[in-house]
Amino acid sequence: MLAVPAVGAESGTAPGGEEGPELIVNGDFADGTDAWWWTPNAEGAVLDGRLCVDIPGGTINPWDAIIGQADIELEEGESYALRYTASSTAPTVSRANVMLAEEPYTKEISTTDAVSTAPVSFEHVFTAGADYDAAQFSIELGGSPNPFTFCLDEVSLRGGAVPPVYEPDTGSPVRVNQVGYLTHGPKSGTVVTDAPASLPWTLHDADGTETASGETEPFGTDPTSGQNVHRFAFDDVDREGEGYTVTIDGETSEPFAIGDDLYSGLRGDALAYYYHNRSGIEIDADLVGEEYARPAGHLNIAPNQGDFDVPCQPGVCDYRLDAPGGWYDAGDHGKYVVNGGISVAQLMGTYERTLWAEAADGVALGDGSLSVPEQGNGVPDILDEARWQLEFLFAMQVPQGEELAGMAHHKLHDANWTGLPLLPHRDAERRELHPPSTAATLNLAAAGAQAARLFEPYDAEFAAEAVATAVTAYQAALTHPDLFADPNDAQGGGAYSDDDVSDEFYWAAAELFATTGEDHYRQDVWNSPLHGDTDLVFPRGGLAWAATAGLGAITLATVDTELTPAQRAEITETLLEAADGYAADSETEAYGVPFAQQYVWGSNSQVLNNMVVLGIAHDLTGEGRYSTAVLRGLDYVLGRNPLNQSYVTGYGERDSRNQHHRHWAKQLNPSLPNPAPGSVAGGPNEELQDPIAADLLEGCAPAMCYIDHIESYATNEITINWNAPLAWVASFADDLGDGA
């Protein structure tokens, strides 16, 4: 099994036992370089008892420069301790592996150790998952633009080790929203304690002065975390300030603020995520700062093979498409129509809310409000950002005259997976179009129809193109209703397979009806097997790229259309019934989260999408219980949770900052940045589909199945479709002002 440095873990030799024989030959380099090798582009020698290897600059992948030793025997089920000491003339990351030396290059351990000028010793323990006659130890050092010298000493690999026991650092047991609480809004927290009876709590301001006090309410065992907890509330406190803390039983929370307009920064940062992740354009330092500036990626400029003149996968089609632009989806350099569809729809929905919700602030999303290069063109900046993605989506449509004309290709990405880290402009992999799918085509239809009505006041020609594209796509989907993406098509990018597209048909028909007023689209909604079924339109687990019907229902409940009042009320009733369920979950959960489902990949996005529905319910009814549930959800995302973790970079004292991403990768390359502020991590995932999570988190309680590690893609990825509901919710929360 794969292992990483034991954070909060204990490891070593078994008590009373003995270490096995040394498996590394000449690990102290007393015999010069005997038994060691390095890639031909490097040059090594023993200096002062250490192996020092000159690593070239200008390499792309970590495995482009390697130091190693072969012919290592491992026994399945045995636990081994790997130890070494390293230094470097420039800060770097040492990726030490013990692995199969040939395809499929299975790694029994893969580490990410930060190395600088002073020698540092590392120890990692792992358990072999198979027998090996000739495994290899290797350290991958490629990917740096500049040359450096890496020195290695005291290398050892012995059996008889004790596997580490991972204990997450959860900090204080007093859990609060680490950003803060609106002046007149709800204010609540959770404390982890074994105390059976109520405990006194005190609220202190930044000077340490007690400003409020009360008693906790015992809750019992939280089934999502296994923790025994109490809840507490201080709703009546309305004095603005920063640096507040809550103390319970001698333990003090992270600091937080109380005030108005706490979320304007989060609104802007969550939306800036999209400019940061644009494909096909230089990211301008004047907009994002020097740390985040980068050259344009995938413009057919070497080493890129680029997104112009892109071929299909072999055997899929005989034409090529120009499909530049759009947003990189997640940790890879792929661009996906299904993920892109819901993402751009929710950004447009954030803007569209300002056209119908009385409390929504259009100025905060308007021209000149966001960090986009199109500022000053007379178009709301959020629509400018959406257009960057929409034009890519339109370019993915199969041309007229082809067999599947009007359908949309499912995705465009590299032919092979690339390593981490890798800036987009340095990606040398061939780009490929993947087969069209019904799901992608309906995403195109829905997003295009929504775009048509929103862009019409600003660019009638683009709006006409959008609705024509949408109508063509919807008709093509009706003609080909069961073209499903291959679940095994996951080389170089995610599969995003979906064999139930009834929700996409519902969504697309609703958007086309709202834009065109043509009754046959309304009939398609009303005749859908989903219509009127709250649990199918709004799953308790939240909207997602494979569960999009709720987007259509939101449009029909909020946008002025040709529906009769009774028909609109019918749709609204479905939405409010869903919101009632989410609000009830928020009231009964230990941490106030409006979510009571299995924690799976992207659980934070599910929580946030439930909050979107709650926010719309509040806008439609004015009922405070809905906005209260939204704010409790923000509490959860920003620190009031079993791990005491703010899942949003740059927000809170204990924020996630090592999310899975190829060019925001400081954990793997000190010259690269952490994710930009406003990037939300996927969150707890009890299915543990990546090796880091599987090894460290095995047996975790559902809401504890998370680690802030760049290679835990199953718990710590960031994606366009997870940041979209965060942006919507931050916009809603900012519009609440003081929360009265």
Side-chain angles (χ1 to χ4, degrees), residues 181-187 235-240 258-260 628 631 736-740:
Y181 301 88
L182 298 181
T183 306
H184 299 291
K187 305 173 185 70
D235 296 348
D236 293 337
V237 178
D238 59 6
R239 184 159 66 87
E240 296 183 44
I258 295 176
D260 302 350
T628 292
L631 293 173
L736 289 176
D738 64 6

Side-chain angles (χ1 to χ4, degrees), residues 580-595:
D580 289 341
Y582 303 146
D585 290 339
S586 174
E587 292 169 0
T588 57
E589 289 294 303
Y591 286 92
V593 60
F595 182 75

Side-chain angles (χ1 to χ4, degrees), residues 329-379:
D329 175 69
D332 61 299
H333 295 143
K335 302 189 296 187
Y336 306 83
V337 174
V338 290
N339 232 24
I342 186 175
S343 303
V344 76
Q346 290 194 297
L347 258 64
M348 290 190 290
T350 303
Y351 169 74
E352 190 158 31
R353 175 176 171 265
T354 69
L355 305 180
W356 61 263
E358 183 178 350
D361 179 12
V363 174
L365 304 172
D367 190 22
S369 64
L370 303 178
S371 296
V372 296
E374 297 85 0
Q375 290 179 347
N377 65 355
V379 178

Side-chain angles (χ1 to χ4, degrees), residues 438-458:
T438 307
T441 305
L442 291 166
N443 270 261
L444 177 59
Q450 184 181 13
R453 62 178 181 268
L454 296 180
F455 279 90
E456 201 279 333
Y458 304 103

Side-chain angles (χ1 to χ4, degrees), residues 265-278:
L266 181 57
R267 180 207 301 248
D269 285 342
L271 288 168
Y273 178 95
Y274 294 91
Y275 175 60
H276 279 286
N277 284 280
R278 283 191 190 185

